[in-house]
Amino acid sequence: MDSMNFYILLLIAVIAGWLMGRFGSAAKVKTKPNGRDIFQDYFVGLNYLLNDEPDEAIDTFIKALEINSDTVETHLALGALLRRRGKVDKAINVHQALLARPSLERAFSDSVRLQLALNYIAAGLLDRAERLLNEVLNEESDARWEALQYLITIYQTEKEWSKARSSCIKLLESPRYKKDAEIRASAAHFCCEIAEQLLETNQDSQAKAELKRAFTFERKNIRALLLLAKIEQRQGNFQGAIKELLRIRSANPGFITQVLEPLNQCYQQLGSNDEFEKLLREIVRENTNTNAVLLLAKIIKDKAGSAVAIAFLSEHLDQYPTLDGLVELLSLQIHNVESEVAASLESLLNLIHEQVSKNSEYRCHHCGFETKSLFWMCPSCKKWDKIRPISKTAGGESSLARK
Ligand SMILES: [Zn+2]
């Protein structure tokens, strides 16, 4: 029995309990207006369930249960169950029927509208969902916090970043969500999205203002720091760019790979290659980042020759073996072996290189989605900041990559 069946059976138990209660206290509900015994419906539904036809079972229970103040919650739950089973149209019908009841209590009216909005979102009817949620929002009941969360989902899907941020700001007014790290991170990313749009049209100073705003939600937002460094770099302020990039290094060493190239460019512009080498040595000492090791090996090779670079790499790989590092080491050593062996070795290296280049570079820590490029929002589970670099050192993920 899968978990869904178990869930349905549990639900049946609840309904059965309710029916028994009603039966015990008021015999008049035993028979529905059309004269059919409600127990008959109950057993028909149960039969469907035992025959592994849960959708028919749900339908039967919905039809069997008259809507009244005692059964509203059951109808709500059955509608939600239909949505989760992908029967969005049926779920919409169930919840719309509830909403159409004139005497629906206020607390239920909010729940029904929230459920209906979720159905609309599932059906891709985002405009309708938005209208309904704004209705709940304007009534200022406790349901507005939940409505705001769904609104954020909608605006995020529609890339309406400014509206998404406004909804976050409203949600952060709630004492319950005030310190919610995920909502604060979302708000920071919405600022970054707006900043990126401004950068496309060269509105650098407005973009900078948006990034400053991002830091009010999350003090060390990596994406905002990277964007700020990018603006400084393109404006020729290389010292300023380096300052921001180094802040990323201390805020989250997992993102070292992302700062290496811009750092290299900025130090080159300043003519401070030695200073960059010093920094790289420091990074390699405290963090086993493979890209930093490979970059340093290349600098050593250009400056002091292959033999010194080979010695450096061998020593490092003894301690922290990685496939990328070994491939680089063998490529350097290939000139020292006989030509026949060198040819075979080169073919082998090409094969390994091809294999390595297929590997994912990033993984979502929430849903496990793997990708070759960095996404700030996971394309699979739509959560922000859950995608992080995969460590290439033997033994799996580096603790440094975690936030
Ligand atoms: Zn994910």
Side-chain angles (χ1 to χ4, degrees):
M1 180 165 59
D2 64 23
S3 59
M4 183 54 87
N5 277 353
F6 172 72
Y7 179 39
I8 295 171
L9 279 174
L10 195 72
L11 199 63
I12 304 313
V14 175
I15 299 173
W18 173 80
L19 287 171
M20 299 302 176
R22 298 293 287 176
F23 181 56
S25 62
K28 64 179 163 61
V29 294
K30 191 184 165 194
T31 311
K32 290 210 306 182
N34 61 8
R36 230 178 127 183
D37 192 322
I38 49 174
F39 280 107
Q40 213 173 325
D41 289 323
Y42 171 65
F43 285 115
V44 170
L46 195 61
N47 211 27
Y48 276 128
L49 202 65
L50 293 173
N51 286 323
D52 216 13
E53 295 176 278
D55 294 331
E56 284 74 8
I58 299 170
D59 279 349
T60 311
F61 292 127
I62 286 172
K63 278 182 208 140
L65 276 182
E66 254 184 280
I67 303 177
N68 59 44
S69 54
D70 288 322
T71 64
V72 171
E73 273 176 288
T74 309
H75 276 270
L76 262 172
L78 286 170
L81 196 54
L82 281 170
R83 181 180 62 246
R84 267 180 234 127
R85 296 187 60 79
K87 313 277 175 190
V88 182
D89 287 352
K90 282 188 178 177
I92 289 175
N93 288 342
V94 171
H95 291 140
Q96 267 175 347
L98 283 178
L99 200 60
R101 278 181 59 84
S103 58
L104 195 66
E105 283 169 49
R106 169 63 187 274
F108 285 132
S109 147
D110 284 339
S111 309
V112 174
R113 280 182 293 176
L114 289 175
Q115 285 297 324
L116 197 50
L118 283 178
N119 297 343
Y120 287 147
I121 292 174
L125 303 167
L126 300 185
D127 284 0
R128 278 205 220 176
E130 188 186 342
R131 223 175 303 133
L132 211 51
L133 292 167
N134 274 319
E135 232 177 82
V136 175
L137 192 61
N138 291 335
E139 286 170 19
E140 303 217 326
S141 67
D142 278 348
R144 70 183 186 278
W145 308 121
E146 208 175 326
L148 279 167
Q149 290 178 60
Y150 301 150
L151 278 171
I152 293 170
T153 310
I154 292 175
Y155 295 139
Q156 189 169 286
T157 311
E158 292 185 321
K159 299 192 191 306
E160 296 212 46
W161 307 120
S162 187
K163 282 186 177 176
R165 179 174 59 195
S166 304
S167 302
C168 274
I169 292 171
K170 279 186 206 150
L171 190 53
L172 289 170
E173 284 169 12
S174 148
R176 207 173 123 203
Y177 295 104
K178 209 163 110 191
K179 289 186 177 156
D180 190 301
E182 267 189 39
I183 294 163
R184 301 200 79 89
S186 305
H189 278 286
F190 298 147
C191 295
C192 291
E193 292 286 351
I194 297 169
E196 280 187 349
Q197 283 176 344
L198 289 164
L199 282 179
E200 274 173 30
T201 47
N202 295 324
Q203 302 182 68
D204 288 18
S205 54
Q206 288 93 326
K208 257 189 183 177
E210 289 297 337
L211 296 173
K212 295 257 160 69
R213 204 162 168 200
F215 295 128
T216 65
F217 296 110
E218 195 181 42
R219 211 160 54 85
K220 290 176 176 174
N221 184 280
I222 302 295
R223 183 185 184 183
L225 287 168
L226 272 173
L227 281 169
L228 210 50
K230 188 176 156 189
I231 298 175
E232 298 294 1
Q233 194 181 346
R234 83 176 191 181
Q235 289 182 338
N237 179 9
F238 302 111
Q239 288 289 8
I242 289 172
K243 202 181 109 204
E244 302 302 339
L245 293 166
L246 291 181
R247 279 171 70 193
I248 295 173
R249 178 193 163 207
S250 52
N252 191 338
F255 282 90
I256 287 282
T257 302
Q258 276 65 37
V259 301
L260 287 176
E261 199 37 50
L263 273 175
N264 193 2
Q265 290 164 2
C266 288
Y267 278 111
Q268 263 182 31
Q269 288 289 339
L270 292 169
S272 322
N273 290 350
D274 287 348
E275 218 173 305
F276 181 56
E277 187 187 330
K278 207 176 115 202
L279 175 68
L280 265 184
R281 285 188 185 274
E282 229 174 83
I283 290 173
V284 168
R285 244 198 319 275
E286 68 190 36
N287 179 328
T288 55
N289 185 288
T290 313
N291 298 66
V293 174
L294 295 183
L295 193 53
L296 184 55
K298 189 178 172 294
I299 291 174
I300 293 174
K301 186 191 153 204
D302 292 345
K303 226 169 106 176
S306 294
V308 188
I310 288 170
F312 161 74
L313 263 182
S314 311
E315 196 191 330
H316 184 84
L317 291 172
D318 266 352
Q319 241 183 314
Y320 310 103
T322 63
L323 206 49
D324 287 335
L326 281 169
V327 168
E328 184 59 31
L329 180 60
L330 283 171
S331 315
L332 287 170
Q333 289 171 325
I334 212 163
H335 310 289
N336 305 337
V337 296
E338 284 174 44
S339 59
E340 214 176 298
V341 182
S344 317
L345 204 54
E346 199 159 348
S347 310
L348 179 67
L349 284 177
N350 285 340
L351 270 178
I352 297 174
H353 190 76
E354 206 177 297
Q355 216 54 44
V356 170
S357 64
K358 283 181 194 157
N359 289 350
S360 301
E361 305 264 330
Y362 302 90
R363 181 182 303 125
C364 173
H365 282 235
H366 185 254
C367 71
F369 177 83
E370 290 195 358
T371 158
K372 277 199 76 66
S373 40
L374 173 63
F375 290 98
W376 297 109
M377 181 175 74
C378 173
S380 174
C381 69
K382 314 283 180 208
K383 291 209 173 275
W384 294 97
D385 282 334
K386 296 292 176 195
I387 291 199
R388 292 169 206 167
I390 299 173
S391 167
K392 290 171 183 169
T393 23
E397 239 138 303
S398 149
S399 59
L400 289 166
R402 285 184 208 122
K403 212 171 176 181

